[in-house]
């Protein structure tokens, strides 16, 4: 008789613990990426005083945290910190003892604080920490004037997602905690400061007439990873009744043109998801080293300058960041293991906006492209890698290392599959809107989402019970079901890619410039993506493709990125400097990492990829340089001495 196989529980520890708490009544929820125990106390408000020192590349800070005790005889708390120099701590104005624990590889250092008194459950204390950041703070990138568009003034921007706020502010750096904040920021008078909050005036710094203090208030509770600060030679233009664009003056007018449809997208999102609660919706175009396409900081979406491509094909990034105002910012994943709740729903909402503004066929076409991005991530990680789970375990795993398109596209695929099963887009969007209303201003787990799904569709539980939840949520690789997408817009891309893949050398003269002229930017992107999924094209083919289509002339970053990867993969040596130039002219990880990997995999140019990376590493965002180091197998400690 065969031994009975015990099923493996692939769920992350936090999901297993929350199941356990449901059975035992114990509250044992924890966040594997944070030292702070949010079951013992919660931060309700932060009051920040920040002095930006551009000479030393540090922030001198003072933060007052309003903390509520969740248990009786409460007297000790732990804050997250990373590379912070803590000067002093007080509690309600009285000195408090503090110590910094041992440094963890990615969680930083726990800041242990002992209050000079006990609190009862429900009581509040104001804990004030005076501190200074390190020049190496992972949340902050200090740019020299040469690294900016204007070349005259320095620039600072923060990127706190996922777990980097602790290197800028000592706090409970977990998305399970939400709080309001008020900030006063002192900067040199030639610079302008903006934050992920509503502007609340400015004044000359009473301590130094060469500086200005900018004030900000955020009255909607939000997690620490959404605190954002920028200081530079910024200008703004009004593009709608509640929208401005901000950037250096070299980009500002182009940005105002590119993002002119923002208000229309906002209104469409409100019709789908409910009122926009954050007041202002501004867009800030960052210098090129910003590592992401966008970042959904409340009141101030960050955007990469790679979006300023001269066509509207990249408006999906803004639709995505707008959608985060509901899914992510208003309803937030409780830990980074449940990141798909943020991103899967945001991609779903983004594509519903595309459906309203374009067509259902357009939504289907974008979904097909997303499925390919998911396949790409699964191939990169490996189909058995647990980081390709929709809900992965992040025990001893940095959220940065886990970042990929999996939570975005596997999450979207699950929601689209449920939409198909439960009655179509209008019916399922009704659920998404209701879910947002139910969990607004709070943080949720996958289990809570699923319970609400079953409650909302209580008359369709038999359908939901047929879903293979374990395969979708806790099993690596591609989803158990591939949705059937409408291929109308994709058919032309498929046909053209197949023609190139099957062409012999004698067939190359049958291709014409009109092949791509009749395609939209989205379709050209899809055409190139399809070719990247196959074995490399012969070098004769990519040279002919350039001769006919002149793809080197395309400035759309999404097209250029795929084209250069295709060329390098086919071993076209002339494309290598172009690929390395794109990898270093901007720092968006979506482009920079794969381009470096392609050149690195071209044996003849492996040393050149390393040389260019080491030459540009100091100008990159710390998260980008760290991950490219891993991609290229560079020992950073040795590289630093070279």
């Amino acid at each position: 008789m065969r031994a009975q196989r015990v099923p493996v529980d692939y769920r992350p520890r936090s999901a297993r613990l929350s199941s356990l708490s449901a059975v035992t009544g114990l509250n044992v929820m924890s966040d594997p990426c944070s030292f702070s125990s949010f079951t013992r106390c919660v931060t309700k408000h932060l009051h920040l005083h920040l002095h930006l020192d551009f000479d030393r590349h540090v922030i001198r800070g003072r933060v007052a945290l309003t903390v509520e005790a969740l248990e009786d005889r409460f007297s000790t708390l732990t804050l997250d910190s990373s590379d912070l120099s803590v000067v002093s701590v007080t509690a309600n104005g009285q000195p408090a003892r503090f110590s910094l624990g041992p440094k963890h590889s990615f969680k930083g250092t726990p800041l242990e604080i002992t209050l000079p008194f006990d609190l009862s459950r429900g009581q509040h204390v104001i804990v004030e920490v005076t501190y200074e950041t390190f020049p190496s703070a992972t949340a902050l990138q200090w740019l020299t004037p040469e690294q900016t568009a204007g070349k005259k003034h320095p620039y600072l921007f923060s990127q706190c997602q996922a777990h980097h706020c602790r290197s800028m502010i000592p706090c409970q750096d977990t998305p399970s905690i939400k709080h309001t904040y008020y900030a006063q920021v002192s900067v040199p008078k030639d610079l302008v400061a903006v934050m992920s909050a509503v502007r609340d005036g400015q004044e000359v710094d009473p301590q130094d007439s060469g500086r200005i203090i900018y004030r900000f208030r955020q009255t909607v509770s939000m997690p620490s990873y959404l605190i954002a600060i920028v200081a530079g030679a910024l200008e703004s233009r009004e593009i709608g009744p509640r929208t401005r664009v901000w950037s250096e003056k070299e980009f500002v007018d182009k940005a105002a043109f590119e993002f002119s449809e923002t208000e229309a997208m906002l209104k469409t999102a409100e019709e789908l998801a409910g009122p926009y609660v954050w007041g202002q919706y501004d867009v800030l175009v960052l210098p090129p080293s910003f590592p992401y396409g966008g970042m959904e900081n409340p009141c101030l979406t960050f955007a990469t300058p790679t979006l300023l491509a001269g066509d509207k094909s990249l408006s999906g990034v803004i639709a995505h960041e707008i959608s985060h105002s509901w899914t992510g910012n208003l309803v937030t994943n409780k830990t980074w293991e449940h990141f798909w709740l943020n991103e899967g729903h945001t991609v779903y909402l983004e594509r519903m906006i595309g459906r309203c503004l374009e067509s259902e066929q357009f939504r289907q076409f974008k979904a097909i492209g997303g499925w390919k991005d998911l396949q790409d991530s699964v191939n990169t990680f490996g189909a058995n890698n647990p980081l390709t789970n929709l809900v992965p375990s992040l025990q001893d795993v940095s959220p940065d290392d886990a970042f990929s398109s999996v939570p975005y596209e596997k999450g979207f695929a699950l929601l689209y599959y449920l939409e198909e099963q439960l009655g179509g887009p209008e019916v399922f969007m009704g659920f998404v809107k209701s879910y947002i209303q139910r969990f607004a201003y709070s943080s949720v787990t996958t289990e809570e989402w699923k319970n609400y799904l079953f409650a909302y569709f209580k008359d369709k539980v038999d359908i939901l019970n047929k879903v293979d939840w374990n395969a979708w949520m806790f099993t690596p690789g591609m989803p158990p079901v591939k949705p059937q997408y409408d291929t109308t817009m994709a058919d032309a891309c498929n046909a053209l890619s197949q023609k190139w893949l099957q062409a012999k050398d004698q067939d190359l003269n049958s291709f014409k410039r009109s092949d791509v002229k009749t395609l939209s930017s989205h379709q050209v992107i899809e055409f190139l993506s399809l070719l990247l999924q196959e074995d490399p094209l012969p070098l004769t083919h990519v040279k002919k493709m350039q001769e006919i289509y002149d793809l080197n002339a395309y400035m759309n970053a999404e097209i250029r990125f795929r084209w250069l990867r295709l060329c390098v993969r086919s071993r076209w040596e002339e494309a290598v400097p172009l690929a390395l130039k794109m990898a270093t002219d901007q720092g968006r990880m979506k482009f920079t990492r794969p381009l470096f990997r392609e050149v690195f995999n071209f044996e003849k140019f492996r040393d050149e990829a390393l040389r260019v990376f080491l030459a540009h590493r100091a100008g990159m965002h710390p998260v980008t340089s760290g991950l490219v180091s891993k991609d290229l197998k560079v020992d950073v400690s040795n590289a630093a001495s070279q």
Side-chain angles (χ1 to χ4, degrees):
M1 182 177 156
R2 288 173 60 198
Q4 189 176 1
R5 185 171 172 271
V6 178
V8 178
D9 191 344
Y10 285 106
R11 293 177 302 163
R13 181 168 169 269
S14 62
R16 297 198 301 272
L17 288 174
S18 58
S19 296
L20 177 67
S21 66
V23 175
T24 62
L26 296 171
N27 190 350
V28 286
M29 182 79 193
S30 64
D31 182 343
C33 305
S34 171
F35 287 116
S36 69
S37 173
F38 53 82
T39 59
R40 297 181 55 244
C41 68
V42 293
T43 303
K44 309 299 279 186
H45 181 74
L46 297 182
H47 193 121
L48 292 160
H49 291 80
L50 304 176
H51 179 101
L52 277 46
D53 186 335
F54 281 89
D55 294 328
R56 295 174 54 230
H57 288 185
V58 301
I59 294 177
R60 295 206 303 275
R62 194 167 80 247
V63 57
L65 304 95
T66 303
V67 177
E68 179 182 341
L70 298 181
E71 61 185 22
D72 287 327
R73 295 188 299 283
F74 176 80
S75 62
T76 61
L77 70 150
T78 306
L79 299 180
D80 290 301
S81 78
S82 179
D83 291 340
L84 293 179
S85 175
V86 179
V87 178
S88 64
V89 179
T90 64
N92 290 351
Q94 301 178 43
R97 293 205 317 275
F98 68 92
S99 63
L100 290 165
K103 186 172 182 177
H104 182 273
S105 59
F106 66 85
K107 285 200 276 189
T109 308
L111 173 57
E112 309 278 1
I113 297 170
T114 303
L115 305 178
F117 43 74
D118 287 357
L119 294 182
S120 300
R121 182 183 177 125
Q123 284 189 311
H124 291 73
V125 60
I126 295 179
V127 176
E128 188 167 276
V129 184
T130 303
Y131 66 96
E132 189 172 275
T133 64
F134 279 30
S136 58
T138 54
L140 302 173
Q141 190 171 17
W142 302 87
L143 303 181
T144 62
E146 296 73 43
Q147 289 173 290
T148 68
K151 312 294 184 196
K152 287 182 185 162
H153 299 287
Y155 196 107
L156 168 71
F157 71 87
S158 66
Q159 172 57 34
C160 288
Q161 193 179 31
H163 61 297
H164 298 287
C165 188
R166 64 195 70 179
S167 71
M168 182 171 83
I169 304 163
C171 60
Q172 289 184 293
D173 196 9
T174 167
S176 58
I177 297 284
K178 291 183 152 183
H179 47 67
T180 53
Y181 78 86
Y182 193 87
Q184 293 163 257
V185 183
S186 173
V187 299
K189 66 179 182 196
D190 293 333
L191 305 183
V192 173
V194 286
M195 290 189 77
S196 54
V198 175
R199 297 182 302 286
D200 193 36
Q202 64 192 70
E203 63 189 7
V204 175
D205 188 335
Q207 311 289 320
D208 182 345
S209 61
R211 300 176 69 89
I212 295 176
I213 290 176
Y214 289 89
R215 295 191 297 268
F216 306 92
R217 58 186 161 81
Q218 180 51 266
T219 58
V220 181
S221 290
M222 50 167 251
S224 55
Y225 75 84
L226 292 176
I227 297 175
I229 185 168
V230 177
L234 299 174
E235 293 189 7
S236 72
R237 300 283 186 272
E238 190 174 290
I239 57 169
R242 49 188 162 173
T243 308
R244 304 185 79 83
V245 291
W246 296 81
S247 82
E248 295 177 82
K249 72 169 185 283
E250 290 76 10
F251 290 144
V252 74
D253 290 320
K254 191 170 188 185
F257 170 76
E258 286 293 328
F259 301 132
S260 59
E261 296 168 8
T262 301
E263 178 63 23
M265 283 190 202
L266 258 179
K267 283 181 174 165
T268 304
E270 285 186 301
E271 287 164 14
L272 290 165
Y276 178 76
V277 303
W278 303 90
Q280 192 73 8
Y281 185 87
D282 288 1
V283 180
L284 174 106
V285 179
L286 283 132
S289 59
F290 180 57
Y292 301 101
M295 179 62 209
E296 64 272 16
N297 301 308
C299 310
L300 189 72
T301 280
F302 284 11
T304 168
T306 63
L307 298 182
L308 305 181
D311 67 44
K312 299 289 185 184
S313 73
L314 296 163
S315 59
V317 173
I318 294 301
H320 183 88
E321 305 310 335
I322 282 174
S323 300
H324 266 307
S325 305
W326 289 268
T327 48
N329 297 7
L330 194 58
V331 181
T332 308
N333 48 228
K334 192 162 275 186
T335 74
W336 296 112
E337 296 172 310
H338 303 279
F339 189 40
W340 85 272
L341 291 174
N342 277 20
E343 296 300 349
H345 287 83
T346 297
V347 173
Y348 185 84
L349 189 49
E350 164 205 338
R351 289 182 183 152
M352 288 298 284
I353 293 173
R355 178 179 190 257
C356 295
L357 297 178
E358 302 269 350
S359 66
E360 173 62 14
Q361 285 182 348
F362 178 75
R363 181 175 83 117
Q364 298 279 324
F365 177 71
K366 297 299 285 183
I368 292 169
W371 185 268
K372 264 190 276 311
D373 288 343
L374 175 58
Q375 184 73 67
D376 204 30
S377 281
V378 169
N379 292 343
T380 301
F381 274 114
N384 295 317
N385 190 319
L387 291 181
T388 63
N389 287 10
L390 187 59
V391 188
S393 169
L394 295 185
Q395 207 64 44
D396 301 318
V397 177
S398 166
D400 287 341
D401 292 342
F403 186 83
S404 75
S405 66
V406 170
Y408 296 74
E409 295 299 348
K410 203 173 193 177
F412 170 81
L414 171 59
L415 297 175
Y416 182 83
Y417 168 69
L418 292 172
E419 172 196 297
E420 284 186 308
Q421 304 301 309
L422 294 165
E426 282 82 6
V427 171
F428 197 73
M429 193 61 224
F431 160 73
V432 172
K433 185 173 186 177
S434 179
Y435 158 74
I436 291 166
Q437 289 169 337
R438 166 65 183 81
F439 293 104
Y441 309 102
S442 65
S443 301
V444 292
T445 63
T446 300
E447 192 168 30
E448 289 169 314
W449 169 85
K450 187 179 159 193
N451 288 341
Y452 190 70
L453 179 76
F454 273 73
Y456 183 88
F457 289 110
K458 58 181 180 290
D459 55 337
K460 296 178 180 176
V461 167
D462 54 331
I463 296 172
L464 291 172
N465 280 331
K466 288 178 186 154
V467 175
D468 189 343
W469 294 104
N470 192 58
W472 275 103
M473 302 281 187
F474 307 116
T475 306
M478 294 298 286
V481 181
K482 181 176 182 179
Q484 294 304 302
Y485 297 123
D486 180 326
T487 62
T488 305
M489 285 183 68
D491 288 340
C493 317
N494 286 324
L496 186 58
S497 67
Q498 283 304 311
K499 191 177 172 187
W500 276 99
L501 290 164
Q502 292 162 15
K504 304 286 187 283
D505 281 359
Q506 61 266 29
D507 303 325
L508 293 180
N509 287 328
S510 67
F511 293 98
K512 301 283 183 290
R513 177 114 175 108
S514 57
D515 297 342
V516 293
K517 276 296 168 197
T518 56
L519 301 181
S520 69
S521 299
H522 297 287
Q523 288 173 304
V524 175
I525 291 165
E526 173 67 3
F527 159 65
L528 294 171
S529 296
L530 287 165
L531 294 176
L532 283 169
Q533 286 202 305
E534 305 294 335
D535 292 335
L537 285 170
L539 183 54
T540 49
H541 286 45
V542 292
K543 285 187 171 180
K544 190 69 176 179
M545 201 180 287
Q546 167 56 23
E547 182 189 318
I548 304 167
Y549 301 159
D550 194 17
L551 289 162
N552 279 340
Y554 279 72
M555 287 297 104
N556 178 310
E558 295 280 357
I559 292 174
R560 189 168 184 78
F561 158 65
R562 288 167 176 80
W563 166 239
L564 290 173
R565 285 182 71 193
L566 199 69
C567 293
V568 173
R569 207 174 276 189
S570 297
R571 301 297 186 252
W572 192 0
E573 296 188 8
E574 288 173 29
V576 169
L578 298 176
L580 290 174
K581 185 175 190 310
M582 183 173 186
T584 51
D585 277 356
Q586 54 74 50
R588 188 176 174 188
M589 285 196 290
K590 176 183 179 179
F591 301 146
T592 292
R593 292 183 69 190
L595 286 167
F596 266 117
R597 283 199 296 259
E598 293 289 358
V599 177
F600 186 74
N601 290 335
F602 191 167
E603 191 71 41
K604 182 175 179 180
F605 291 94
R606 179 163 289 189
D607 289 345
E608 179 65 2
L610 291 169
R611 186 194 68 75
V612 170
F613 168 62
L614 292 172
H616 287 84
R617 188 165 63 97
M620 289 180 170
H621 189 276
V623 173
T624 310
S625 65
L627 290 171
V628 175
S629 293
K630 290 181 180 178
D631 293 339
L632 306 189
K633 302 172 177 61
V634 176
D635 182 336
V636 179
S637 56
N638 286 342
S641 61
Q642 290 179 18

